[in-house]
Amino acid sequence: KVKNEEAPTIDTEENSSSSQAADINIDGEETPDIGEKLTPRTHRFINTFSRDGGFFEAPRLVKRNRPYNQSLNVLNVKNKYGKHKWTLLGNLFYNDWFHIIMRWPTIISLIFILSLWIGFIMIFAGIYMAIDARDPSVSCGLGFENNPIQIWGAFAFSLETCTTVGYGLPGDTMGFFENCPDLQVAIFFQMMFSMCFNAFLLSFLFTRIARCEARGAQLLFTDKAVVRRDSRGRLLFEVKVYDADSKYPLVESHVRLYAVHSSSNRNYNPLRTMIPNDDLGGTLLTSIPSTIVHHIDAYSQLLPPKFRYHKKMIDGCGMALREIDSETCSRDGVICPICGESYGTYGRLRTHIRFNQVQEKYSEFPVEGTHQELTEKEVSLLTEPEKHYPVPTFDELKMFFERSKIEVVAVVEGIDPLTSGTFSALHSYQSEDIELEREFVSCWDSDNQVDLELFHETVSTRAKLNMRSSNGQYLSNQKDVS
């Protein structure tokens, strides 16, 4: 039946706080009481924000700290270690010292490594001084007769040994130190250390200079994101991305979108992409300016919660779903309240109800409990919600973006064909970075050149939508495709 029995609830503190958060939309208004017109469990996916319901002015997760409002591809996240700071830092450095040093700025890491190298040279210089001065009656050939080698001579000898530049001994001509086997052992260990250290220094410099993170600087994101309606009336959130090194396409580049909530726990949810289709991996050809499209549907974090009641789609059960999957027969998202059959679109549900009403009437089924019980108004409420419930206006979307403080984070990953290294590029959009009722202009010219000045430009779509609406060609986002 359309008027379903109230679903049983468990009276716990957690459920009460969750349901209370679900009953208040982001505008601070109570949600409309339409529970009797909803199918069971539909209300559970509506509140996708944090349970505490608190929003505050949080810093951007991705700062725009490069020219042309691009980012350094790092997240603005810091650690607060508390009273055990140095214990935790020491444990982290002990277990993963290489990657920690790799994250330091190049000049600081080089100064640290060279200081470490000089320190080992000084240690071995002290060892050579101790060996040469241990027995004055035995000449090791390091110092002069009855005068052991001093600090600067020992440092020079240690430096010559470490760099293998050849010996110029200050003492006699014993080039192989036959009288001092201890000195030969010390030289052996220093040369072994020198070979290992040289190999490490070479690999460190190569890894630091050829790090693929810097490759992300050539991936350009549009300064603004746009929200518009397409020819079907669907709300679309769009951004564009382009690789400036366009002659050499990236390998396996793909994109992901996240909606980060400005709440006390910084809860985030993935935003499913329609173009490119994230079911196919969300792959991109970044050598061509590519538009990333997210459909603001009933499951989208960008749709104000009070409008999600009107969709009457199937409960997502915490999963990130898309309405478009239901419309393209990938799954069923519309449930018949009489028999429980599921369908992909409202049009198919309407056809199902009409067919069963005729069949049940012909078979003389009782009216109560069958599809015959549904009135014309109830069938219309079930299958044509856009005619009975308001759709979000662009002003309401703007107000929702401003009050919710949502930050949309775009992550593009790819493999550089030159170094075969994986890298990622980050960008984010908040309310001040989102333009409504606009679309991106073409930035191509006749010579296959990308005009980067036009890359960020947008144009209003209001005139096009008004013309489409006046001609009766404006289609709702639930167009019957059956």
Side-chain angles (χ1 to χ4, degrees):
K1 299 182 181 180
V2 176
K3 296 184 179 180
N4 295 283
E5 296 182 0
E6 185 177 358
T9 58
I10 301 176
D11 189 12
T12 62
E13 181 179 355
E14 180 179 352
N15 286 343
S16 62
S17 61
S18 177
S19 61
Q20 182 179 4
D23 292 338
I24 303 297
N25 60 45
I26 199 63
D27 299 329
E29 304 171 353
E30 293 187 359
T31 51
D33 184 14
I34 56 174
E36 293 183 346
K37 299 182 178 63
L38 292 174
T39 54
R41 294 172 56 88
T42 304
H43 66 281
R44 294 194 180 184
F45 80 91
I46 293 174
N47 180 32
T48 50
F49 295 89
S50 59
R51 288 185 176 178
D52 55 22
F55 296 88
F56 57 90
E57 192 70 29
R60 291 187 76 112
L61 197 61
V62 181
K63 292 185 176 181
R64 297 187 171 192
N65 42 16
R66 287 182 56 237
Y68 304 102
N69 291 321
Q70 302 298 301
S71 74
L72 286 175
N73 298 323
V74 294
L75 292 177
N76 183 28
V77 179
K78 302 175 183 177
N79 297 326
K80 187 176 181 180
Y81 295 98
K83 61 181 180 179
H84 301 293
K85 175 180 179 180
W86 298 112
T87 302
L88 293 173
L89 290 178
N91 183 63
L92 292 175
F93 190 83
Y94 176 78
N95 289 282
D96 193 20
W97 59 268
F98 179 77
H99 291 97
I100 292 178
I101 296 177
M102 285 294 300
R103 290 296 183 190
W104 292 352
T106 303
I107 185 65
I108 295 179
S109 57
L110 281 178
I111 291 175
F112 174 78
I113 293 176
L114 292 178
S115 300
L116 188 65
W117 182 67
I118 294 174
F120 276 108
I121 291 178
M122 294 297 297
I123 290 174
F124 277 99
I127 293 175
Y128 295 141
M129 290 176 61
I131 293 176
D132 194 39
R134 184 179 57 181
D135 189 356
S137 62
V138 178
S139 176
C140 294
L142 294 181
F144 295 98
E145 185 176 357
N146 297 325
N147 187 14
I149 192 170
Q150 301 302 311
I151 178 62
W152 294 115
F155 177 80
F157 179 77
S158 179
L159 182 63
E160 288 178 345
T161 303
C162 191
T163 56
T164 64
V165 296
Y167 292 120
L169 300 178
D172 65 25
T173 59
M174 295 178 60
F176 294 100
F177 317 107
E178 293 90 345
N179 294 342
C180 299
D182 294 344
L183 184 61
Q184 293 176 336
V185 172
I187 292 174
F188 169 78
F189 280 106
Q190 184 175 10
M191 287 187 171
M192 291 294 294
F193 163 77
S194 178
M195 287 189 298
C196 295
F197 192 89
N198 290 339
F200 166 76
L201 184 60
L202 178 62
S203 63
F204 175 83
L205 290 176
F206 174 79
T207 305
R208 182 65 189 172
I209 295 174
R211 63 190 187 277
C212 288
E213 294 173 353
R215 177 64 175 83
Q218 297 196 59
L219 277 177
L220 306 179
F221 293 86
T222 49
D223 178 28
K224 303 291 184 181
V226 299
V227 175
R228 66 179 182 90
R229 291 190 185 272
D230 64 359
S231 60
R232 293 175 177 265
R234 299 177 298 190
L235 282 171
L236 304 179
F237 174 89
E238 298 179 345
V239 299
K240 278 205 307 185
V241 63
Y242 172 64
D243 184 12
D245 190 14
S246 55
K247 292 186 178 180
Y248 307 98
L250 296 177
V251 180
E252 293 293 334
S253 59
H254 53 276
V255 64
R256 297 193 304 271
L257 297 179
Y258 298 95
V260 182
H261 300 249
S262 184
S263 59
S264 58
N265 58 6
R266 300 292 276 174
N267 183 34
Y268 71 92
N269 299 89
L271 296 178
R272 301 290 302 273
T273 58
M274 187 169 64
I275 300 176
N277 188 356
D278 56 14
D279 275 346
L280 302 178
T283 54
L284 293 168
L285 179 59
T286 53
S287 295
I288 297 176
S290 303
T291 302
I292 303 166
V293 181
H294 165 70
H295 180 202
I296 305 179
D297 57 11
Y299 302 100
S300 173
Q301 307 299 304
L302 304 185
L303 184 69
K306 63 181 180 181
F307 294 104
R308 302 176 194 177
Y309 284 92
H310 308 154
K311 294 289 187 176
K312 296 197 288 296
M313 300 294 292
I314 194 173
D315 178 20
C317 297
M319 302 292 291
L321 303 180
R322 301 183 303 181
E323 279 190 35
I324 191 67
D325 293 332
S326 179
E327 296 181 6
T328 55
C329 302
S330 297
R331 61 172 181 82
D332 295 334
V334 183
I335 307 296
C336 176
I338 301 298
C339 63
E341 287 286 341
S342 59
Y343 297 91
T345 64
Y346 295 121
R348 296 172 196 162
L349 175 61
R350 183 172 61 250
T351 303
H352 160 78
I353 293 176
R354 297 300 188 199
F355 174 77
N356 280 275
Q357 284 178 335
V358 174
Q359 190 177 43
E360 290 166 356
K361 182 178 180 180
Y362 178 80
S363 301
E364 298 181 354
F365 279 22
V367 174
E368 184 177 359
T370 64
H371 296 81
Q372 302 175 76
E373 187 180 14
L374 297 175
T375 65
E376 289 295 328
K377 182 179 179 181
E378 291 172 335
V379 172
S380 181
L381 284 171
L382 285 170
T383 61
E384 299 174 309
E386 69 278 358
K387 290 185 178 181
H388 303 276
Y389 304 112
V391 296
T393 64
F394 288 106
D395 290 337
E396 289 172 319
L397 287 175
K398 181 179 180 180
M399 184 180 299
F400 172 69
F401 294 153
E402 291 176 350
R403 294 188 178 184
S404 64
K405 311 297 182 184
I406 285 182
E407 182 176 0
V408 178
V409 178
V411 182
V412 176
E413 297 175 329
I415 301 175
D416 179 32
L418 189 61
T419 60
S420 298
T422 303
F423 68 93
S424 62
L426 305 175
H427 207 59
S428 72
Y429 301 88
Q430 290 185 321
S431 58
E432 63 270 19
D433 309 314
I434 300 176
E435 295 184 346
L436 305 176
E437 293 186 273
R438 302 187 70 85
E439 63 182 359
F440 294 109
V441 301
S442 175
C443 54
W444 284 93
D445 63 13
S446 58
D447 293 330
N448 261 8
Q449 298 183 30
V450 178
D451 190 339
L452 295 181
E453 291 187 358
L454 294 177
F455 178 71
H456 301 277
E457 294 295 323
T458 61
V459 63
S460 174
T461 61
R462 185 174 303 174
K464 296 181 180 180
L465 290 178
N466 290 338
M467 182 183 302
R468 198 176 294 133
S469 179
S470 62
N471 292 336
Q473 298 174 351
Y474 190 86
L475 302 179
S476 70
N477 61 336
Q478 297 294 340
K479 180 182 178 182
D480 182 11
V481 295
S482 61

